[in-house]
Amino acid sequence: MNNTEVFPLKSFDQACHHMVKTHPLVHCMTNDVVQEITADVLLAAGASPAMIIDKHESADFAAIADCLLINVGTLTEERFVAMQLAIEAAQKTNKPWVLDPVASGLLPWRDKMIHQFLNLMPTVVRGNASEILSLAGAGNGGHGVDSADDSRQAVSAARQVALRYHTIVAVTGETDFVTDGKRTLSVVGGDVLTTLVVGTGCSLSALVAAYCAKSDSPLEATAAALTMAKQASEIAASKSTGPGSFHPAYLDALYAIAREHI
């Protein structure tokens, strides 16, 4: 694809070593369905998770943590307020934050809340092709939380969103693309079994936050997180017979990759 660079493995090795070495504390304000796998993925990969979601605590903890994840999968009005407070605290303390716009383009109220978050200029937006197309005002949303589009179809939309909101956009799929609107990196690999386990995408957004936590380049940090997940899914698929065995094998593979980069 024109104007797209393949993210080099040497850069991944450096970013992975840095993330594992710094062991970032990730404040995960994520949906109820994926909290366990999100925590497991972060621990296996070498980060430290915390799920602080109440509005009375979210700002205080966001100021303490190294990064923040905002995932709107099970969004409520009360949770929206808590997330806003956390974002404001992260910004005041110069902590990166990642937005996962789950099911963008599907429901009007959800879209309104997502765009309010976008206007706060997240460090990174990580979504599937249908979600990113929706954020750019194109496409019709996905099939529930799943993408109905190929990631290659959303690269132009990702660049538009990146420039409009001064953010990094990661669109994930068979091939992942990461862009700041000017420079675009691609990450290949992975396995289709990843799409058959609940929470792999949402936990990937948390992994992106972990890589960005103490990085000087959120673009390359995001590509490194996607590379780790792609590598882990390939290793897990080679040792699995289906989704049930893939899930623990994926965690084991993340752990093995992290251990190689200590």
Side-chain angles (χ1 to χ4, degrees), residues 7 11 37 65 75 88 97 113 124 175 238 248 252 256 259 262:
F7 184 62
S11 296
I37 188 173
L75 190 62
E88 290 170 3
W97 69 282
M113 299 302 103
V124 181
T175 299
S238 71
D252 287 347
R259 294 290 295 177
I262 291 177

Side-chain angles (χ1 to χ4, degrees), residues 43 182 211:
L43 287 169
K182 298 178 181 179
Y211 268 84

Side-chain angles (χ1 to χ4, degrees), residues 60-229:
D60 290 339
F61 195 79
I64 295 169
D66 295 310
C67 54
L68 170 67
L69 167 67
I70 300 294
N71 176 304
V72 301
T74 50
L75 190 62
T76 64
E77 286 192 47
E78 184 174 0
R79 189 165 292 185
F80 175 78
V81 172
M83 288 175 169
Q84 277 194 313
L85 292 170
I87 292 167
E88 290 170 3
Q91 290 175 325
K92 287 178 182 178
T93 52
N94 296 313
K95 307 292 178 60
W97 69 282
V98 174
L99 174 63
D100 189 330
V102 178
S104 175
L106 186 65
L107 298 165
W109 182 79
R110 175 182 298 265
D111 286 346
K112 180 181 177 181
M113 299 302 103
I114 288 172
H115 278 88
Q116 288 192 42
F117 286 141
L118 274 174
N119 286 327
L120 297 174
M121 292 186 293
T123 309
V124 181
V125 178
R126 199 294 310 171
N128 64 39
S130 294
E131 291 162 348
I132 300 305
L133 283 165
S134 169
L135 296 184
N140 298 308
H143 181 66
V145 299
D146 299 321
S147 181
D149 300 283
D150 187 279
S151 57
R152 290 180 289 259
Q153 297 174 285
V155 175
S156 178
R159 290 172 176 148
Q160 292 174 36
V161 173
L163 291 172
R164 185 181 305 164
Y165 296 101
H166 306 285
T167 187
I168 304 299
V169 177
V171 52
T172 51
E174 185 175 349
T175 299
D176 298 341
F177 298 95
V178 187
T179 184
D180 60 5
K182 298 178 181 179
R183 185 184 179 200
T184 303
L185 304 174
S186 65
V187 180
V188 298
D191 192 272
V192 70
L193 277 175
T194 308
T195 65
L196 301 178
V197 175
V198 172
T200 50
C202 293
S203 60
L204 175 56
S205 295
L207 191 61
V208 168
Y211 268 84
C212 288
K214 299 181 180 180
S215 172
D216 294 328
S217 174
L219 179 74
E220 294 202 356
T222 300
L226 304 183
T227 300
M228 188 181 203

